[in-house]
Amino acid sequence: MRDPYLQAMGIEQWVRREPHLHQSDVAEEKHDVPVKVLPAVAESSAEAVTPIPVMELSPTQSRQSHNVDGLDWSGLESRVSECRICDLHATRTHTVFGMGDRNADWMIIGEAPGADEDKQGEPFVGRAGELLTAMLQAMKLRREQVYITNILKCRPPQNRDPSQDEIRCCQPYLHRQIELLRPKVILAVGRIAAQSLLERDETMKAMRGQRFEYADTGIPVVVTYHPAYLLRSPTEKRKSWQDLQFALRRFAEQGGRS
Ligand code: URA
């Protein structure tokens, strides 16, 4: 039964009406009628290939040591909380390190904290976070069972896209988190997360459904839409459900049990 999963993600369900029940149904009986009609949303930037701007490292950035090899979870978390390597430290309220089970099989990687996350210091706590929770629920996973983090640990002002430089500065933190967690599957949500993790510059369309691995670790990476994009384009939720099912298959291939 997949309907409860689709429902959990808020996917519109199409119901075939029984013909000739009521006169008032006659106008609709030729068609499958959506339970709820939602406005069509234009393709978002999630599908576009916007090059991430490249900047040179500032003197502050090149002065600071950035070796996190050998740090354990708490050492890494405190290093992140003190980080001043890129300019985002000046505008952040809190760093957002990540949260969840540090022995999880599943790692969910988003783009960067937004306003709510910056305020609370936790990833995916806003509306996009609610949808992410529903996506996990559709996969029979609870938030506490997975580990959730972002490419960037600080919020870019006005939620602008992260720059290449910011991504590069934050990359060792994420890499160490992946080393410590050694998840069975990484779910990259959104174009920026997917492109940064995989070091590719393809569209979401090109990356979805492909069998990627993170660096040379053998850890499968599955690409799906960012929940914020799905909030703007709910009709894409069906495709996202296909991605989640693909992720579950890759998880099973790794010996994971749902
Ligand atoms: N969007 C993200 O990519 N990450 C968050 O933590 C919140 C919103």
Side-chain angles (χ1 to χ4, degrees):
M1 282 296 289
R2 60 181 200 149
D3 285 2
Y5 309 144
L6 300 181
Q7 225 164 20
M9 285 177 64
I11 294 178
E12 304 313 315
Q13 297 191 56
W14 294 63
V15 179
R16 185 176 288 281
R17 300 256 173 122
E18 291 300 324
H20 308 301
L21 285 179
H22 301 289
Q23 200 56 38
S24 57
D25 286 334
V26 169
E28 291 171 338
E29 74 186 26
K30 289 195 291 286
H31 308 288
D32 284 348
V33 180
V35 171
K36 205 165 89 192
V37 178
L38 288 150
V41 180
E43 286 245 297
S44 94
S45 59
E47 284 291 9
V49 190
T50 316
I52 301 170
V54 181
M55 292 190 291
E56 289 310 309
L57 284 179
S58 72
T60 336
Q61 289 154 359
S62 50
R63 257 202 320 272
Q64 288 205 15
S65 146
H66 203 27
N67 186 356
V68 294
D69 293 351
L71 288 184
D72 64 7
W73 280 108
S74 62
L76 186 63
E77 185 163 13
S78 70
R79 187 71 76 79
V80 167
S81 70
E82 293 158 5
C83 184
R84 296 165 69 84
I85 295 175
C86 82
D87 291 342
L88 294 182
H89 77 273
T91 47
R92 76 183 174 215
T93 313
H94 291 109
T95 53
V96 179
F97 180 67
M99 75 178 306
D101 183 352
R102 291 177 175 180
N103 292 304
D105 286 338
W106 289 88
M107 185 171 204
I108 317 298
I109 303 180
E111 178 179 325
D116 294 319
E117 291 78 18
D118 175 66
K119 242 181 257 155
Q120 297 183 42
E122 291 180 5
F124 282 100
V125 290
R127 279 188 68 221
E130 281 171 26
L131 182 52
L132 179 64
T133 305
M135 290 162 72
L136 293 172
Q137 200 187 331
M139 299 166 78
K140 296 198 189 149
L141 290 167
R142 283 172 289 109
R143 260 179 96 103
E144 315 81 72
Q145 275 179 281
V146 305
Y147 190 81
I148 307 176
T149 190
N150 286 303
I151 298 287
L152 292 194
K153 310 306 186 207
C154 294
R155 180 191 183 206
Q158 278 81 50
N159 298 342
R160 64 159 168 74
D161 282 356
S163 71
Q164 196 83 67
D165 182 48
E166 289 155 358
I167 291 172
R168 199 168 52 219
C169 290
C170 246
Q171 200 267 345
Y173 299 136
L174 180 63
H175 185 75
R176 184 67 189 144
Q177 284 176 305
I178 296 171
E179 269 181 355
L180 287 167
L181 190 66
R182 302 248 9 128
K184 285 204 161 67
V185 178
I186 295 173
L187 187 65
V189 299
R191 177 180 61 85
I192 303 264
Q195 289 180 339
S196 321
L197 269 176
L198 299 168
E199 298 188 344
R200 304 177 86 91
D201 62 0
E202 290 158 73
T203 59
M204 285 295 288
K205 193 174 174 189
M207 290 187 285
R208 288 181 52 245
Q210 283 208 53
R211 299 177 66 86
F212 293 118
E213 287 175 3
Y214 175 67
D216 54 2
T217 60
I219 302 170
V221 176
V222 173
V223 174
T224 192
Y225 292 114
H226 194 287
Y229 169 68
L230 295 175
L231 287 172
R232 295 193 300 275
S233 309
T235 52
E236 300 286 54
K237 285 183 185 172
R238 277 181 190 275
K239 289 195 208 156
S240 144
W241 175 233
Q242 288 165 5
D243 301 334
L244 302 184
Q245 288 174 301
F246 176 53
L248 286 165
R249 287 197 294 277
R250 296 218 67 189
F251 176 65
E253 285 167 17
Q254 298 296 305
R257 277 183 293 150
S258 315

